[in-house]
Amino acid sequence: SQQGEEDPQALSIQEGENATMNCSYKTSINNLQWYRQNSGRGLVHLILIRSNEREKHSGRLRVTLDTSKKSSSLLITASRAADTASYFCATDAGYSTLTFGKGTMLLVSP
Amino acid sequence: EAGVAQSPRYKIIEKRQSVAFWCNPISGHATLYWYQQILGQGPKLLIQFQNNGVVDDSQLPKDRFSAERLKGVDSTLKIQPAKLEDSAVYLCASSLVAGGLGTEAFFGQGTRLTVV
């Protein structure tokens, strides 16, 4: 079963704009992670936020976590064409089993 | 450091045939995952190993899928017999530790399986 559910399913923006995608989950978690997948490639880890953290930054990435609402958001600032990819949230709810959502497809046009 | 290695990259087989995928995780990583990713969907966990023991195989179709992790290092995933619905990308990933400590997973490039 898939715990995380990303929203929107697809997002199309222009270079330089910000991109925001959301993730909702169902059960309590130890941490939540975001991954990127370029077409035809494996997934690449972007950022991890623990259940006792509310916000985390990494370069142009900003992740928030609201455990009361069981939701997280990923913000990519000043998007570039190279950011075009699918983005997945993954929850770690115990035994470190990573459960992925269906993903958000981001298209950044030059 | 070397990444997660998977082979083959592509495989085309007829239904009812068997197929095997191989994964070599990053050296020292205790946890190994096999995921199935159908086009347009997120990765679905098939099996998770901690060293050479199985942590979670609840979504592994055990009547046709099997997996092993020899000596807690390399792993193979086998499908026998294959069905059309098994067409997907099979992803192997590894992480340093497990058990809620929360470490990132490193993924291989995946094996794209087409069953015709």
Side-chain angles (χ1 to χ4, degrees):
Chain A
S1 60
Q2 294 186 298
Q3 151 107 292
E5 197 73 34
E6 290 88 344
D7 170 59
Q9 286 189 322
L11 181 61
S12 183
I13 60 174
Q14 299 289 318
E15 266 191 328
E17 294 181 339
N18 295 341
T20 300
M21 49 205 90
N22 305 295
C23 170
S24 59
Y25 57 92
K26 299 173 184 173
T27 64
S28 297
I29 60 172
N30 296 319
N31 65 74
L32 186 143
Q33 304 180 34
W34 284 91
Y35 288 78
R36 183 187 73 228
Q37 184 177 37
N38 291 88
S39 180
R41 309 290 294 271
L43 283 81
V44 174
H45 181 268
L46 296 175
I47 195 165
L48 179 154
I49 186 165
R50 301 191 189 284
S51 59
N52 60 354
E53 297 176 311
R54 292 297 167 258
E55 189 171 310
K56 201 160 183 181
H57 297 256
S58 177
R60 294 184 296 112
L61 305 180
R62 171 179 171 254
V63 169
T64 61
L65 180 64
D66 187 334
T67 53
S68 66
K69 295 181 180 179
K70 292 186 170 58
S71 68
S72 173
S73 68
L74 171 67
L75 168 67
I76 304 174
T77 60
S79 296
R80 306 166 182 167
D83 294 327
T84 294
S86 291
Y87 291 82
F88 297 90
C89 66
T91 53
D92 172 359
Y95 304 106
S96 196
T97 296
L98 285 179
T99 304
F100 286 82
K102 295 181 180 179
T104 293
M105 289 181 58
L106 173 65
L107 174 63
V108 182
S109 302
Chain B
E1 76 186 350
V4 176
Q6 287 189 249
S7 68
R9 282 298 311 276
Y10 305 92
K11 190 75 177 178
I12 300 174
I13 62 171
E14 295 183 350
K15 59 183 179 182
R16 291 187 290 273
Q17 284 187 325
S18 62
V19 64
F21 312 126
W22 174 81
C23 173
N24 186 12
I26 293 173
S27 178
H29 279 196
T31 303
L32 186 146
Y33 310 85
W34 281 104
Y35 287 90
Q36 178 193 60
Q37 186 176 25
I38 293 172
L39 186 63
Q41 298 184 18
K44 169 189 165 186
L45 180 69
L46 293 176
I47 189 167
Q48 178 185 342
F49 293 95
Q50 177 72 9
N51 295 310
N52 60 351
V54 175
V55 173
D56 186 348
D57 63 356
S58 58
Q59 298 191 87
L60 186 74
K62 298 180 185 65
D63 58 334
R64 298 184 301 107
F65 286 64
S66 64
E68 61 180 2
R69 189 180 184 192
L70 301 174
K71 299 180 182 178
V73 182
D74 291 10
S75 178
T76 55
L77 175 70
K78 297 179 182 177
I79 307 175
Q80 183 180 10
K83 292 185 176 181
L84 296 176
E85 66 222 45
D86 298 332
S87 294
V89 175
Y90 291 84
L91 296 164
C92 178
S94 69
S95 64
L96 187 59
V97 295
L101 296 181
T103 58
E104 64 182 289
F106 293 82
F107 281 78
Q109 296 281 48
T111 296
R112 184 176 298 277
L113 173 67
T114 302
V115 182
V116 298

